[in-house]
Amino acid sequence: MSIIDSVRNALVPVHREGYRFVAIFFGVSVLLGLIAEPLFWIGMVLTAWCAYFFRDPERVTPLDDDVVVSPADGRVSSVVRMRPPEELGLGSDEMLRISVFMNVFDCHVNRSPVAGQLVRKVYSKGSFLNAELDKASSENERSGMVIETERHGEIGVVQIAGLVARRILCWSDEGEMLDTGERFGLIRFGSRLDVFLPAGARSLVSVGQTAIAGETMLAEFGSAKGPVVSRRD
């Protein structure tokens, strides 16, 4: 492999949603540089961070309908059983909820945890509390969707805004079919993703564990399993 190939493989593309922010950061850096050179270099460091924040790397996704993968990069902040938000329409019974908290240095492109049809999508206005708090599930601004799987019923996915986050993007629409690991949204800047799983799901992660969107297996349905095949995306 040549040096050029090595550099190309090391570079991670920036998601299109980040282009204008990188351009704004760079423009402000140039203006600051006209005032004082050190300000230009400080601005360039922040520009580099902005590009890093909006990075969109490829992921190798397990191809297994019985596996639930992480919808976000970050830290597993909660594994509990609780009622899902009412707006999801998943009933009042408790479900397994696995939460992944993203800080401002994590990749913020969100991916579908399972394969299925997006049958419900709902946006709820709310507060901007610390996304790690339990009450953030019901009080913070959020965007929820319900994915109907072929074998395991309906699964809820909720994007939750945090202290810094002020914009939740979900570009997938009701009726669309999603593959496991497929990109469906993004949150700016720092937030949390909740996955609500029905009976039969067993958690494979612990609180504090690092998760990688589209790759880390959060949970599984069933117990007897063979080797898991993966897909690069």
Side-chain angles (χ1 to χ4, degrees):
M1 181 179 293
S2 68
I3 295 178
I4 294 177
D5 289 335
S6 299
V7 172
R8 184 182 294 115
N9 290 336
L11 294 176
V12 176
V14 175
H15 194 276
R16 62 181 182 276
E17 291 290 340
Y19 291 167
R20 70 177 184 273
F21 289 94
V22 175
I24 290 172
F25 272 63
F26 177 75
V28 172
S29 299
V30 172
L31 293 176
L32 290 174
L34 298 176
I35 300 173
E37 184 176 346
L39 294 179
F40 170 76
W41 293 111
I42 292 174
M44 289 304 295
V45 170
L46 294 175
T47 301
W49 167 80
C50 186
Y52 181 74
F53 176 88
F54 284 104
R55 67 194 184 279
D56 186 15
E58 291 187 357
R59 295 292 161 81
V60 180
T61 301
L63 296 180
D64 189 330
D65 290 339
D66 293 329
V67 165
V68 179
V69 302
S70 178
D73 283 23
R75 177 176 57 83
V76 177
S77 60
S78 177
V79 180
V80 298
R81 297 197 65 85
M82 65 180 300
R83 294 178 180 177
E86 292 183 6
E87 67 265 17
L88 293 182
L90 293 175
S92 58
D93 292 339
E94 290 186 344
M95 302 179 72
L96 174 63
R97 189 198 74 186
I98 301 178
S99 303
V100 178
F101 178 78
M102 299 178 286
N103 64 40
V104 294
F105 296 104
D106 289 316
C107 175
H108 275 57
V109 176
N110 303 146
R111 295 171 177 262
S112 178
V114 293
Q117 184 177 30
L118 201 170
V119 296
R120 194 173 305 115
K121 176 181 173 181
V122 56
Y123 175 81
S124 302
K125 292 184 178 180
S127 305
F128 295 94
L129 305 173
N130 185 341
E132 290 201 83
L133 298 176
D134 256 350
K135 60 183 179 180
S137 291
S138 57
E139 296 186 16
N140 274 26
E141 184 166 320
R142 58 198 180 277
S143 177
M145 62 184 195
V146 176
I147 302 172
E148 185 173 0
T149 66
E150 184 176 345
R151 298 173 56 181
H152 304 297
E154 294 183 331
I155 290 173
V157 183
V158 184
Q159 297 169 287
I160 302 173
L163 284 170
V164 182
R166 288 297 185 272
R167 187 76 170 103
I168 299 174
L169 301 177
C170 180
W171 49 74
S172 295
D173 295 317
E174 291 183 358
E176 287 188 19
M177 298 299 296
L178 296 173
D179 290 327
T180 306
E182 181 177 345
R183 301 166 179 84
F184 72 83
L186 181 149
I187 313 178
R188 306 191 297 258
F189 288 87
S191 44
R192 178 178 124 197
L193 264 289
D194 286 350
V195 180
F196 289 88
L197 303 171
R202 180 176 69 90
S203 173
L204 298 176
V205 292
S206 302
V207 173
Q209 182 175 334
T210 298
I212 299 175
E215 292 191 356
T216 301
M217 293 183 287
L218 296 183
E220 67 175 357
F221 292 92
S223 55
K225 305 192 67 58
V228 177
V229 181
S230 299
R231 180 191 70 243
R232 181 175 293 277
D233 185 14

PDB file of all heavy atoms in Angstrom, residues 130-162:
ATOM      1  N   ASN A 130     -29.708  17.909  31.185  1.00  0.00           N
ATOM      2  CA  ASN A 130     -28.606  16.972  30.982  1.00  0.00           C
ATOM      3  C   ASN A 130     -29.169  15.666  30.421  1.00  0.00           C
ATOM      4  O   ASN A 130     -30.027  15.035  31.040  1.00  0.00           O
ATOM      5  CB  ASN A 130     -27.898  16.722  32.324  1.00  0.00           C
ATOM      6  CG  ASN A 130     -26.670  15.849  32.164  1.00  0.00           C
ATOM      7  OD1 ASN A 130     -26.501  15.140  31.181  1.00  0.00           O
ATOM      8  ND2 ASN A 130     -25.796  15.894  33.153  1.00  0.00           N
ATOM      9  N   ALA A 131     -28.701  15.256  29.242  1.00  0.00           N
ATOM     10  CA  ALA A 131     -29.247  14.086  28.566  1.00  0.00           C
ATOM     11  C   ALA A 131     -29.020  12.791  29.338  1.00  0.00           C
ATOM     12  O   ALA A 131     -29.658  11.773  29.046  1.00  0.00           O
ATOM     13  CB  ALA A 131     -28.651  13.961  27.165  1.00  0.00           C
ATOM     14  N   GLU A 132     -28.121  12.796  30.322  1.00  0.00           N
ATOM     15  CA  GLU A 132     -27.868  11.583  31.091  1.00  0.00           C
ATOM     16  C   GLU A 132     -28.918  11.347  32.173  1.00  0.00           C
ATOM     17  O   GLU A 132     -28.986  10.258  32.745  1.00  0.00           O
ATOM     18  CB  GLU A 132     -26.476  11.641  31.717  1.00  0.00           C
ATOM     19  CG  GLU A 132     -25.348  11.528  30.698  1.00  0.00           C
ATOM     20  CD  GLU A 132     -24.049  11.085  31.323  1.00  0.00           C
ATOM     21  OE1 GLU A 132     -23.867   9.861  31.502  1.00  0.00           O
ATOM     22  OE2 GLU A 132     -23.225  11.947  31.638  1.00  0.00           O
ATOM     23  N   LEU A 133     -29.729  12.353  32.479  1.00  0.00           N
ATOM     24  CA  LEU A 133     -30.761  12.196  33.496  1.00  0.00           C
ATOM     25  C   LEU A 133     -31.881  11.304  32.979  1.00  0.00           C
ATOM     26  O   LEU A 133     -32.253  11.362  31.813  1.00  0.00           O
ATOM     27  CB  LEU A 133     -31.334  13.557  33.891  1.00  0.00           C
ATOM     28  CG  LEU A 133     -30.356  14.555  34.521  1.00  0.00           C
ATOM     29  CD1 LEU A 133     -31.056  15.890  34.756  1.00  0.00           C
ATOM     30  CD2 LEU A 133     -29.801  13.997  35.830  1.00  0.00           C
ATOM     31  N   ASP A 134     -32.457  10.471  33.867  1.00  0.00           N
ATOM     32  CA  ASP A 134     -33.544   9.591  33.470  1.00  0.00           C
ATOM     33  C   ASP A 134     -34.744  10.363  32.945  1.00  0.00           C
ATOM     34  O   ASP A 134     -35.404   9.960  31.982  1.00  0.00           O
ATOM     35  CB  ASP A 134     -33.981   8.708  34.653  1.00  0.00           C
ATOM     36  CG  ASP A 134     -33.461   7.284  34.520  1.00  0.00           C
ATOM     37  OD1 ASP A 134     -32.936   6.957  33.441  1.00  0.00           O
ATOM     38  OD2 ASP A 134     -33.577   6.523  35.480  1.00  0.00           O
ATOM     39  N   LYS A 135     -35.052  11.497  33.573  1.00  0.00           N
ATOM     40  CA  LYS A 135     -36.239  12.256  33.178  1.00  0.00           C
ATOM     41  C   LYS A 135     -36.076  12.922  31.814  1.00  0.00           C
ATOM     42  O   LYS A 135     -37.055  13.437  31.256  1.00  0.00           O
ATOM     43  CB  LYS A 135     -36.585  13.297  34.235  1.00  0.00           C
ATOM     44  CG  LYS A 135     -35.511  14.338  34.512  1.00  0.00           C
ATOM     45  CD  LYS A 135     -35.965  15.269  35.629  1.00  0.00           C
ATOM     46  CE  LYS A 135     -34.916  16.323  35.973  1.00  0.00           C
ATOM     47  NZ  LYS A 135     -35.377  17.216  37.066  1.00  0.00           N
ATOM     48  N   ALA A 136     -34.871  12.904  31.277  1.00  0.00           N
ATOM     49  CA  ALA A 136     -34.666  13.464  29.938  1.00  0.00           C
ATOM     50  C   ALA A 136     -35.473  12.690  28.897  1.00  0.00           C
ATOM     51  O   ALA A 136     -35.842  13.241  27.857  1.00  0.00           O
ATOM     52  CB  ALA A 136     -33.186  13.448  29.578  1.00  0.00           C
ATOM     53  N   SER A 137     -35.767  11.415  29.175  1.00  0.00           N
ATOM     54  CA  SER A 137     -36.536  10.589  28.235  1.00  0.00           C
ATOM     55  C   SER A 137     -37.914  11.162  27.970  1.00  0.00           C
ATOM     56  O   SER A 137     -38.463  11.034  26.872  1.00  0.00           O
ATOM     57  CB  SER A 137     -36.678   9.159  28.773  1.00  0.00           C
ATOM     58  OG  SER A 137     -35.442   8.503  28.768  1.00  0.00           O
ATOM     59  N   SER A 138     -38.508  11.791  28.982  1.00  0.00           N
ATOM     60  CA  SER A 138     -39.870  12.294  28.855  1.00  0.00           C
ATOM     61  C   SER A 138     -39.971  13.812  28.859  1.00  0.00           C
ATOM     62  O   SER A 138     -40.995  14.367  28.468  1.00  0.00           O
ATOM     63  CB  SER A 138     -40.739  11.731  29.997  1.00  0.00           C
ATOM     64  OG  SER A 138     -40.188  12.073  31.255  1.00  0.00           O
ATOM     65  N   GLU A 139     -38.897  14.513  29.299  1.00  0.00           N
ATOM     66  CA  GLU A 139     -38.980  15.966  29.426  1.00  0.00           C
ATOM     67  C   GLU A 139     -38.161  16.728  28.386  1.00  0.00           C
ATOM     68  O   GLU A 139     -38.450  17.881  28.092  1.00  0.00           O
ATOM     69  CB  GLU A 139     -38.540  16.394  30.832  1.00  0.00           C
ATOM     70  CG  GLU A 139     -39.449  15.877  31.935  1.00  0.00           C
ATOM     71  CD  GLU A 139     -39.083  16.437  33.299  1.00  0.00           C
ATOM     72  OE1 GLU A 139     -38.345  17.441  33.355  1.00  0.00           O
ATOM     73  OE2 GLU A 139     -39.527  15.857  34.313  1.00  0.00           O
ATOM     74  N   ASN A 140     -37.131  16.100  27.831  1.00  0.00           N
ATOM     75  CA  ASN A 140     -36.285  16.814  26.865  1.00  0.00           C
ATOM     76  C   ASN A 140     -36.889  16.823  25.465  1.00  0.00           C
ATOM     77  O   ASN A 140     -37.746  15.992  25.134  1.00  0.00           O
ATOM     78  CB  ASN A 140     -34.897  16.178  26.801  1.00  0.00           C
ATOM     79  CG  ASN A 140     -33.970  16.717  27.864  1.00  0.00           C
ATOM     80  OD1 ASN A 140     -34.406  17.170  28.919  1.00  0.00           O
ATOM     81  ND2 ASN A 140     -32.678  16.653  27.614  1.00  0.00           N
ATOM     82  N   GLU A 141     -36.419  17.753  24.647  1.00  0.00           N
ATOM     83  CA  GLU A 141     -36.790  17.736  23.234  1.00  0.00           C
ATOM     84  C   GLU A 141     -36.267  16.447  22.626  1.00  0.00           C
ATOM     85  O   GLU A 141     -35.132  16.035  22.879  1.00  0.00           O
ATOM     86  CB  GLU A 141     -36.174  18.946  22.531  1.00  0.00           C
ATOM     87  CG  GLU A 141     -36.575  19.069  21.080  1.00  0.00           C
ATOM     88  CD  GLU A 141     -36.226  20.432  20.502  1.00  0.00           C
ATOM     89  OE1 GLU A 141     -36.397  21.443  21.210  1.00  0.00           O
ATOM     90  OE2 GLU A 141     -35.784  20.458  19.336  1.00  0.00           O
ATOM     91  N   ARG A 142     -37.086  15.798  21.795  1.00  0.00           N
ATOM     92  CA  ARG A 142     -36.711  14.483  21.297  1.00  0.00           C
ATOM     93  C   ARG A 142     -37.435  14.148  19.993  1.00  0.00           C
ATOM     94  O   ARG A 142     -38.469  14.742  19.670  1.00  0.00           O
ATOM     95  CB  ARG A 142     -37.018  13.403  22.345  1.00  0.00           C
ATOM     96  CG  ARG A 142     -38.483  13.355  22.765  1.00  0.00           C
ATOM     97  CD  ARG A 142     -38.649  12.602  24.078  1.00  0.00           C
ATOM     98  NE  ARG A 142     -40.063  12.541  24.495  1.00  0.00           N
ATOM     99  CZ  ARG A 142     -40.678  13.509  25.152  1.00  0.00           C
ATOM    100  NH1 ARG A 142     -40.032  14.609  25.488  1.00  0.00           N
ATOM    101  NH2 ARG A 142     -41.961  13.379  25.495  1.00  0.00           N
ATOM    102  N   SER A 143     -36.883  13.201  19.285  1.00  0.00           N
ATOM    103  CA  SER A 143     -37.496  12.681  18.079  1.00  0.00           C
ATOM    104  C   SER A 143     -37.520  11.166  18.190  1.00  0.00           C
ATOM    105  O   SER A 143     -36.467  10.531  18.334  1.00  0.00           O
ATOM    106  CB  SER A 143     -36.695  13.110  16.835  1.00  0.00           C
ATOM    107  OG  SER A 143     -37.258  12.552  15.663  1.00  0.00           O
ATOM    108  N   GLY A 144     -38.705  10.604  18.157  1.00  0.00           N
ATOM    109  CA  GLY A 144     -38.835   9.161  18.329  1.00  0.00           C
ATOM    110  C   GLY A 144     -39.328   8.492  17.059  1.00  0.00           C
ATOM    111  O   GLY A 144     -40.027   9.090  16.238  1.00  0.00           O
ATOM    112  N   MET A 145     -38.942   7.253  16.888  1.00  0.00           N
ATOM    113  CA  MET A 145     -39.465   6.482  15.774  1.00  0.00           C
ATOM    114  C   MET A 145     -39.635   5.030  16.201  1.00  0.00           C
ATOM    115  O   MET A 145     -38.963   4.543  17.115  1.00  0.00           O
ATOM    116  CB  MET A 145     -38.552   6.584  14.547  1.00  0.00           C
ATOM    117  CG  MET A 145     -37.155   6.055  14.707  1.00  0.00           C
ATOM    118  SD  MET A 145     -36.193   6.359  13.188  1.00  0.00           S
ATOM    119  CE  MET A 145     -34.800   5.254  13.465  1.00  0.00           C
ATOM    120  N   VAL A 146     -40.573   4.363  15.552  1.00  0.00           N
ATOM    121  CA  VAL A 146     -40.854   2.961  15.836  1.00  0.00           C
ATOM    122  C   VAL A 146     -40.555   2.153  14.585  1.00  0.00           C
ATOM    123  O   VAL A 146     -41.057   2.473  13.493  1.00  0.00           O
ATOM    124  CB  VAL A 146     -42.319   2.762  16.262  1.00  0.00           C
ATOM    125  CG1 VAL A 146     -42.622   1.273  16.449  1.00  0.00           C
ATOM    126  CG2 VAL A 146     -42.614   3.527  17.542  1.00  0.00           C
ATOM    127  N   ILE A 147     -39.722   1.138  14.744  1.00  0.00           N
ATOM    128  CA  ILE A 147     -39.349   0.271  13.631  1.00  0.00           C
ATOM    129  C   ILE A 147     -40.005  -1.087  13.833  1.00  0.00           C
ATOM    130  O   ILE A 147     -39.827  -1.727  14.880  1.00  0.00           O
ATOM    131  CB  ILE A 147     -37.821   0.106  13.540  1.00  0.00           C
ATOM    132  CG1 ILE A 147     -37.145   1.469  13.378  1.00  0.00           C
ATOM    133  CG2 ILE A 147     -37.446  -0.820  12.383  1.00  0.00           C
ATOM    134  CD1 ILE A 147     -35.629   1.410  13.469  1.00  0.00           C
ATOM    135  N   GLU A 148     -40.781  -1.513  12.860  1.00  0.00           N
ATOM    136  CA  GLU A 148     -41.426  -2.823  12.936  1.00  0.00           C
ATOM    137  C   GLU A 148     -40.537  -3.862  12.268  1.00  0.00           C
ATOM    138  O   GLU A 148     -40.282  -3.784  11.061  1.00  0.00           O
ATOM    139  CB  GLU A 148     -42.803  -2.793  12.266  1.00  0.00           C
ATOM    140  CG  GLU A 148     -43.560  -4.099  12.414  1.00  0.00           C
ATOM    141  CD  GLU A 148     -44.983  -4.028  11.894  1.00  0.00           C
ATOM    142  OE1 GLU A 148     -45.397  -2.953  11.414  1.00  0.00           O
ATOM    143  OE2 GLU A 148     -45.688  -5.059  11.972  1.00  0.00           O
ATOM    144  N   THR A 149     -40.077  -4.810  13.053  1.00  0.00           N
ATOM    145  CA  THR A 149     -39.200  -5.855  12.524  1.00  0.00           C
ATOM    146  C   THR A 149     -40.024  -7.048  12.064  1.00  0.00           C
ATOM    147  O   THR A 149     -41.181  -7.213  12.445  1.00  0.00           O
ATOM    148  CB  THR A 149     -38.192  -6.310  13.590  1.00  0.00           C
ATOM    149  OG1 THR A 149     -38.901  -6.950  14.659  1.00  0.00           O
ATOM    150  CG2 THR A 149     -37.416  -5.124  14.145  1.00  0.00           C
ATOM    151  N   GLU A 150     -39.424  -7.874  11.275  1.00  0.00           N
ATOM    152  CA  GLU A 150     -40.131  -9.029  10.730  1.00  0.00           C
ATOM    153  C   GLU A 150     -40.368 -10.107  11.775  1.00  0.00           C
ATOM    154  O   GLU A 150     -41.399 -10.776  11.772  1.00  0.00           O
ATOM    155  CB  GLU A 150     -39.338  -9.613   9.555  1.00  0.00           C
ATOM    156  CG  GLU A 150     -40.036 -10.763   8.844  1.00  0.00           C
ATOM    157  CD  GLU A 150     -39.264 -11.242   7.633  1.00  0.00           C
ATOM    158  OE1 GLU A 150     -38.356 -10.530   7.177  1.00  0.00           O
ATOM    159  OE2 GLU A 150     -39.582 -12.350   7.136  1.00  0.00           O
ATOM    160  N   ARG A 151     -39.425 -10.243  12.726  1.00  0.00           N
ATOM    161  CA  ARG A 151     -39.494 -11.377  13.653  1.00  0.00           C
ATOM    162  C   ARG A 151     -39.738 -11.000  15.107  1.00  0.00           C
ATOM    163  O   ARG A 151     -40.194 -11.833  15.896  1.00  0.00           O
ATOM    164  CB  ARG A 151     -38.185 -12.184  13.575  1.00  0.00           C
ATOM    165  CG  ARG A 151     -37.924 -12.773  12.213  1.00  0.00           C
ATOM    166  CD  ARG A 151     -36.553 -13.411  12.134  1.00  0.00           C
ATOM    167  NE  ARG A 151     -36.353 -14.429  13.157  1.00  0.00           N
ATOM    168  CZ  ARG A 151     -35.228 -15.118  13.317  1.00  0.00           C
ATOM    169  NH1 ARG A 151     -34.198 -14.863  12.536  1.00  0.00           N
ATOM    170  NH2 ARG A 151     -35.116 -16.028  14.252  1.00  0.00           N
ATOM    171  N   HIS A 152     -39.476  -9.734  15.482  1.00  0.00           N
ATOM    172  CA  HIS A 152     -39.496  -9.402  16.905  1.00  0.00           C
ATOM    173  C   HIS A 152     -40.417  -8.233  17.263  1.00  0.00           C
ATOM    174  O   HIS A 152     -40.294  -7.658  18.341  1.00  0.00           O
ATOM    175  CB  HIS A 152     -38.073  -9.101  17.384  1.00  0.00           C
ATOM    176  CG  HIS A 152     -37.117 -10.224  17.102  1.00  0.00           C
ATOM    177  ND1 HIS A 152     -37.248 -11.483  17.661  1.00  0.00           N
ATOM    178  CD2 HIS A 152     -36.024 -10.280  16.275  1.00  0.00           C
ATOM    179  CE1 HIS A 152     -36.271 -12.262  17.217  1.00  0.00           C
ATOM    180  NE2 HIS A 152     -35.525 -11.558  16.382  1.00  0.00           N
ATOM    181  N   GLY A 153     -41.320  -7.898  16.390  1.00  0.00           N
ATOM    182  CA  GLY A 153     -42.274  -6.846  16.698  1.00  0.00           C
ATOM    183  C   GLY A 153     -41.690  -5.450  16.573  1.00  0.00           C
ATOM    184  O   GLY A 153     -40.734  -5.215  15.829  1.00  0.00           O
ATOM    185  N   GLU A 154     -42.278  -4.514  17.331  1.00  0.00           N
ATOM    186  CA  GLU A 154     -41.900  -3.112  17.213  1.00  0.00           C
ATOM    187  C   GLU A 154     -40.804  -2.725  18.211  1.00  0.00           C
ATOM    188  O   GLU A 154     -40.848  -3.112  19.378  1.00  0.00           O
ATOM    189  CB  GLU A 154     -43.120  -2.220  17.424  1.00  0.00           C
ATOM    190  CG  GLU A 154     -44.180  -2.372  16.329  1.00  0.00           C
ATOM    191  CD  GLU A 154     -45.344  -1.426  16.511  1.00  0.00           C
ATOM    192  OE1 GLU A 154     -45.638  -1.060  17.668  1.00  0.00           O
ATOM    193  OE2 GLU A 154     -45.982  -1.064  15.502  1.00  0.00           O
ATOM    194  N   ILE A 155     -39.857  -1.936  17.725  1.00  0.00           N
ATOM    195  CA  ILE A 155     -38.731  -1.460  18.533  1.00  0.00           C
ATOM    196  C   ILE A 155     -38.705   0.065  18.471  1.00  0.00           C
ATOM    197  O   ILE A 155     -38.858   0.657  17.391  1.00  0.00           O
ATOM    198  CB  ILE A 155     -37.408  -2.041  18.005  1.00  0.00           C
ATOM    199  CG1 ILE A 155     -37.355  -3.550  18.314  1.00  0.00           C
ATOM    200  CG2 ILE A 155     -36.203  -1.329  18.614  1.00  0.00           C
ATOM    201  CD1 ILE A 155     -36.174  -4.258  17.701  1.00  0.00           C
ATOM    202  N   GLY A 156     -38.556   0.704  19.624  1.00  0.00           N
ATOM    203  CA  GLY A 156     -38.531   2.160  19.674  1.00  0.00           C
ATOM    204  C   GLY A 156     -37.112   2.711  19.705  1.00  0.00           C
ATOM    205  O   GLY A 156     -36.228   2.135  20.340  1.00  0.00           O
ATOM    206  N   VAL A 157     -36.900   3.815  19.005  1.00  0.00           N
ATOM    207  CA  VAL A 157     -35.612   4.510  18.993  1.00  0.00           C
ATOM    208  C   VAL A 157     -35.892   5.988  19.225  1.00  0.00           C
ATOM    209  O   VAL A 157     -36.714   6.577  18.518  1.00  0.00           O
ATOM    210  CB  VAL A 157     -34.865   4.333  17.654  1.00  0.00           C
ATOM    211  CG1 VAL A 157     -33.499   5.007  17.712  1.00  0.00           C
ATOM    212  CG2 VAL A 157     -34.719   2.865  17.305  1.00  0.00           C
ATOM    213  N   VAL A 158     -35.231   6.587  20.220  1.00  0.00           N
ATOM    214  CA  VAL A 158     -35.488   7.985  20.554  1.00  0.00           C
ATOM    215  C   VAL A 158     -34.185   8.779  20.563  1.00  0.00           C
ATOM    216  O   VAL A 158     -33.243   8.424  21.276  1.00  0.00           O
ATOM    217  CB  VAL A 158     -36.180   8.122  21.924  1.00  0.00           C
ATOM    218  CG1 VAL A 158     -36.526   9.585  22.198  1.00  0.00           C
ATOM    219  CG2 VAL A 158     -37.445   7.267  21.991  1.00  0.00           C
ATOM    220  N   GLN A 159     -34.147   9.838  19.749  1.00  0.00           N
ATOM    221  CA  GLN A 159     -33.035  10.788  19.768  1.00  0.00           C
ATOM    222  C   GLN A 159     -33.395  11.879  20.778  1.00  0.00           C
ATOM    223  O   GLN A 159     -34.446  12.520  20.665  1.00  0.00           O
ATOM    224  CB  GLN A 159     -32.842  11.428  18.395  1.00  0.00           C
ATOM    225  CG  GLN A 159     -32.473  10.458  17.286  1.00  0.00           C
ATOM    226  CD  GLN A 159     -32.565  11.144  15.930  1.00  0.00           C
ATOM    227  OE1 GLN A 159     -33.649  11.407  15.431  1.00  0.00           O
ATOM    228  NE2 GLN A 159     -31.413  11.438  15.332  1.00  0.00           N
ATOM    229  N   ILE A 160     -32.530  12.108  21.764  1.00  0.00           N
ATOM    230  CA  ILE A 160     -32.820  13.052  22.838  1.00  0.00           C
ATOM    231  C   ILE A 160     -31.801  14.181  22.841  1.00  0.00           C
ATOM    232  O   ILE A 160     -30.591  13.937  22.870  1.00  0.00           O
ATOM    233  CB  ILE A 160     -32.814  12.339  24.207  1.00  0.00           C
ATOM    234  CG1 ILE A 160     -33.835  11.200  24.217  1.00  0.00           C
ATOM    235  CG2 ILE A 160     -33.110  13.325  25.338  1.00  0.00           C
ATOM    236  CD1 ILE A 160     -33.783  10.342  25.462  1.00  0.00           C
ATOM    237  N   ALA A 161     -32.297  15.422  22.818  1.00  0.00           N
ATOM    238  CA  ALA A 161     -31.411  16.589  22.888  1.00  0.00           C
ATOM    239  C   ALA A 161     -30.854  16.715  24.297  1.00  0.00           C
ATOM    240  O   ALA A 161     -31.458  16.252  25.271  1.00  0.00           O
ATOM    241  CB  ALA A 161     -32.172  17.852  22.502  1.00  0.00           C
ATOM    242  N   GLY A 162     -29.696  17.376  24.422  1.00  0.00           N
ATOM    243  CA  GLY A 162     -29.071  17.548  25.728  1.00  0.00           C
ATOM    244  C   GLY A 162     -28.852  19.008  26.057  1.00  0.00           C
ATOM    245  O   GLY A 162     -29.525  19.898  25.531  1.00  0.00           O
TER     246      GLY A 162
END
